[in-house]
Amino acid sequence: MNIPDELVAAIASGNAVLFVGAGLSVGAGLPGWGQLIGPLADRIGLPDNQRGDPLKVAQFYETQRGRQALISYIQEQIDAGGSAPTENHRRLVRLGIRTWLTTNFVDLLEQTLRSAGERVTKVVRDHDLPYAGAERLTLIKLHGDSAQPETIVITR
């Protein structure tokens, strides 16, 4: 693999940000979008022509069953496996990037970073941001955190 010199330089100088999607955790045994959201459509009898957008499916489910039912279902699915970080998680940590963005609400990134000896500031809410600083790695969880279920973003 040929990595552009500009990217190597940006990482080395601390000017790179890593974006990690929730798909990284599929390798750890967690469900992908289809596995996570498909059963919701079945539970509410959603017609096939309305199943194309996972966020809309989750929104329909929340509208019919309520926010608590949706978040409880999501937590059951992501807590079910006792999943552990994968080699891909560990490889990403070795890049040395100091600012991470993720759409993943599980804690596999935090586990991996802390296992590597990193001090991590996790930003889930606006009021977490002032605690981020250059002396600690910053992990911004764009779609919330499973430890703070009220922050989970999975609908439109």
Side-chain angles (χ1 to χ4, degrees), residues 129-147:
L129 202 49
Y131 302 102
E135 69 283 351
R136 297 172 68 99
L137 185 144
T138 301
L139 174 63
I140 302 170
K141 299 190 84 169
L142 299 169
H143 287 181
D145 183 58
S146 60

Side-chain angles (χ1 to χ4, degrees), residues 18-88:
L18 181 64
F19 180 86
V20 179
L24 179 65
S25 295
V26 170
L30 290 168
W33 272 108
Q35 290 175 298
L36 184 63
I37 302 299
L40 292 176
D42 294 339
R43 288 180 180 195
I44 60 172
L46 201 61
D48 289 342
N49 66 348
Q50 293 184 324
R51 294 176 180 235
D53 181 344
L55 296 177
K56 283 184 180 178
V57 171
Q59 185 69 57
F60 286 131
Y61 186 88
E62 181 179 315
T63 299
Q64 285 192 17
R65 302 276 176 94
R67 176 88 177 151
Q68 194 278 333
L70 174 62
I71 297 304
S72 291
Y73 167 81
I74 298 299
Q75 287 195 297
E76 286 172 19
Q77 301 309 304
I78 62 179
D79 292 342
S83 54
T86 67
E87 182 58 30
N88 286 333

Side-chain angles (χ1 to χ4, degrees), residues 3-13 16:
I3 300 173
D5 293 338
E6 295 84 7
L7 179 57
V8 173
I11 293 171
S13 66

Side-chain angles (χ1 to χ4, degrees), residues 72-107:
S72 291
Y73 167 81
I74 298 299
Q75 287 195 297
E76 286 172 19
Q77 301 309 304
I78 62 179
D79 292 342
S83 54
T86 67
E87 182 58 30
N88 286 333
H89 286 89
R90 291 184 283 281
R91 286 179 181 144
L92 290 174
V93 169
R94 290 192 297 263
L95 291 174
I97 294 174
R98 306 297 301 160
T99 304
W100 294 49
L101 300 170
T102 186
T103 56
N104 206 334
F105 7 87
V106 298
D107 70 345

